[in-house]
Amino acid sequence: MNNAVTARAHTNIALIKYWGKADPKLIIPQNSSLSLTLDPFYTDTTVQFDAALTQDQIKIDGQVLNQTAGQRVRDFLDLVRQRAGITAFAQVNSYNHVPTAAGLASSASGFAALAAAASKAAGLTLDQPALSRLARRGSGSATRSIYGGFVEWQKGHNDLDSQAVPFQETIDFDIQMIAILLDPRPKKVASRAGMAQVVATSPYYTAWPPSAEKDLIAMKAAILKKDLNLIGQLAEANAMKMHATTLSATPPFTYFEPETLAAIEIVQSLRNNGVSCYYTMDAGPNVKVICSAKETPAILTRLRQHFPADHLLVAKPGPGIAYL
Ligand code: ADP
Ligand code: DP6
Ligand code: CO
């Protein structure tokens, strides 16, 4: 039980977004969602339970976490301890190979890696569905980061059936994303707070869950047809419907920054010139361009006229959870 265990989980970006909780404690979502796991962005987390410790020691990128972020990890460790029937505190060392809290899903790779490392270090043997449900208790998007490729999070009804299911783990057509890092700073409104404010106050929110469920059905059909244009159109429209709920919240807020609009305009102008590319955005200002590897050189050439080359990160589909 005292063994240190290290796990690696990749982030994922949703093509059909999870936005709003039906049960905030268990993190049961209001709608099912579908994502693409990405190769270059991941978290490595090492966990060791140690009876000699007097409290949990948690570091991300070598830094001790602030109170809120630390509490979230401690609550998660409590859940693992309770399941494993142990009381020892843990040493957690995590490295994000992704900007933290910038809308590039550090909470997804972070809690998926923590779920895998902590459960194994505590002596539990969990299969992938059980790991997915455990990761969900840390962060909703982490539910999907257990698997590679296209992953569906089926919302379910309770702790035992709200879990991810691989939709297409090995992708046999040309699709990737370009993340435009236009602002790497932590976002002003965390995903958790943003969606809670929207569910509680936006009169438009009731339209979101049924609309997202419809989009999900269409997205699955588009993936099976390997229709990149349809995938892009659906993802773009779904993301903008999600962002419309923030403007209609009380108080209103937005994840858009001026440079977000500049990125969107470039994508639209490329498209008007016959280059097939689409955008999506999460709870943060950074834009992800959905495209094929074939068109990526042309897209990068255009984006580099506006954004520094090292802020443009090409992301191919990535794998599921692994122990190192
Ligand atoms: P993001 O867009 O990066 O997912 P969120 O607001 O959803 O932003 O989540 C950011 C929070 O996720 C951080 O404040 C922290 O609490 C948690 N987090 C990020 N990385 C890790 C990690 N490696 N291990 C544990 N928790 C993490
Ligand atoms: C817009 O999973 O970060 O990225 O469950 O509160 O931890 P918590 O939120 P989080 O929300 C992600 C929201 C999103 C859409 C998505 O990833 O599906
Ligand atoms: Co997140």
Side-chain angles (χ1 to χ4, degrees), residues 42-46 58-65 92-101 106 109-110 184 186:
Y42 59 89
T43 299
D44 286 342
T45 298
T46 303
I58 304 151
K59 281 187 188 167
I60 297 185
D61 298 332
Q63 302 277 327
V64 175
L65 286 192
V92 177
N93 259 309
S94 186
Y95 290 90
N96 281 343
H97 298 265
V98 53
T100 302
S106 69
S109 53

Side-chain angles (χ1 to χ4, degrees), residues 72 101 103-108 139-142 187 191-192 283:
R72 202 166 151 178
L104 284 163
S106 69
S107 68
S139 177
S141 52
K187 51 191 153 189
S191 308
R192 184 154 297 185

Side-chain angles (χ1 to χ4, degrees), residues 4-5 29 48 122 161 197 250 289 314 318 321:
V5 176
Q48 180 168 27
D161 67 359
Q197 190 175 323
T250 308
V289 181
V314 177
I321 201 97

Side-chain angles (χ1 to χ4, degrees), residues 3 27 49 83 95 103 119 121 130 141 156 165 215 219 240 252-253 258 306:
N3 286 349
I27 313 198
F49 289 94
R83 298 231 175 133
Y95 290 90
S119 60
S141 52
V165 174
D215 289 347
M219 180 61 80
M240 292 306 104
F253 66 102
H306 191 91

